[in-house]
Amino acid sequence: MSVGIVAALPGEARSLARLRARGTAVLADGAQLRLSGLGAERATAAARALVAEGVDRLISWGSAAALVPALHPGDLLLPREIIASDGRRLHSDDAWRESLTDALPGGLRIRHGALVQATGVLVNVASKQVLHECSHAVAADMESAAIAAVAAEFGLPFIAIRAIADDSTMILPPAANAAVDADGALKPLSMLRALAGRPRTMHAQLRALKQLAVAFKAAQNTLGVVALEFVDTQRAA
């Protein structure tokens, strides 16, 4: 079987391969990894390109935002259900998800609650609460539903592998939005301008950026653990 993996950002894909924006790599186990950039439209295009290249299974790989207090940075979400922004409910492949779950080390905190599609970056607590109340999902990202929809269209098995990068109370400062573009490329000058443009909140933003960096590192560490086991699982498949 040939596996296609879609990750939005280079930082999310780093545990599998080091890629520049919208790059593609063939991993040691033969899986194809493609960077899509942020958002559903780009994820759809990346997933379709992988299908055109002959993959017969799809994975959404990366980070997610927690919508409930029970999830913490570094927790691993292997959702049974993915909810699109239009309310459509898509399902991951039970056997594949369970096989990966059984292969992972016991120290990981693994959850299987629903993952919902966010139509934009969730910048504050209120936006997370509203999305949870509407969907009853435990976490959100912008790409998984789009990738799951492509898998469903072509009748392919699908799973989402998402590590929690920010908890339900974390606020995303304006400087964080300015720090990267839609392809995940760093924009340090834009971040500095965003900080300088709000001098009264600069210290608060810097604290929030530090918290976000620590949380994202926890998510990266979890994805690194999964990557090691995932390669072994695919070789045995």
Side-chain angles (χ1 to χ4, degrees):
M1 288 188 176
S2 177
V3 179
I5 305 170
V6 179
L9 303 176
E12 294 178 324
R14 193 168 296 139
S15 53
L16 294 170
R18 291 187 178 273
L19 288 173
R20 293 183 177 180
R22 300 210 212 181
T24 304
V26 178
L27 306 183
D29 61 344
Q32 294 186 59
L33 169 65
R34 183 177 289 263
L35 286 179
S36 64
L38 289 172
E41 184 176 346
R42 292 173 180 228
T44 297
R48 286 186 176 278
L50 287 169
V51 173
E53 291 168 9
V55 306
D56 52 21
R57 291 190 284 175
L58 285 171
I59 293 174
S60 172
W61 177 277
S63 59
L67 303 180
V68 295
L71 288 179
H72 305 282
D75 287 356
L76 178 65
L77 182 64
L78 303 177
R80 295 186 179 91
E81 184 177 58
I82 298 88
I83 305 169
S85 58
D86 62 3
R88 183 182 179 192
R89 293 178 180 267
L90 303 146
H91 297 276
S92 61
D93 186 84
D94 289 336
W96 192 8
R97 186 189 63 251
E98 290 168 6
S99 174
L100 178 58
T101 300
D102 291 343
L104 292 172
L108 285 180
R109 284 170 48 93
I110 303 174
R111 300 290 182 266
H112 299 289
L115 178 66
V116 67
Q117 180 182 9
T119 55
V121 178
L122 302 174
V123 298
N124 54 43
V125 176
S127 61
K128 294 178 181 180
Q129 289 177 338
V130 168
L131 194 53
H132 171 64
E133 289 168 1
C134 292
S135 65
H136 301 291
V138 299
D141 71 16
M142 292 192 288
E143 297 83 25
S144 289
I147 301 162
V150 173
E153 178 184 350
F154 289 94
L156 305 181
F158 164 85
I159 57 172
I161 300 174
R162 292 279 170 165
I164 299 301
D166 56 299
D167 64 32
S168 61
T169 65
M170 191 172 291
I171 297 172
L172 190 68
N177 259 340
V180 295
D181 63 17
D183 288 327
L186 292 176
K187 299 164 58 182
L189 290 179
S190 295
M191 183 183 71
L192 290 173
R193 282 194 291 267
L195 287 169
R198 298 171 181 251
R200 293 183 179 180
T201 65
M202 182 180 296
H203 292 299
Q205 286 202 71
L206 287 171
R207 285 196 300 271
L209 285 170
K210 182 178 180 180
Q211 291 173 344
L212 184 62
V214 170
F216 189 69
K217 181 63 175 176
Q220 285 183 311
N221 289 342
T222 293
L223 290 174
V225 172
V226 178
L228 292 174
E229 296 297 334
F230 171 74
V231 170
D232 290 340
T233 300
Q234 293 311 115
R235 284 176 177 158

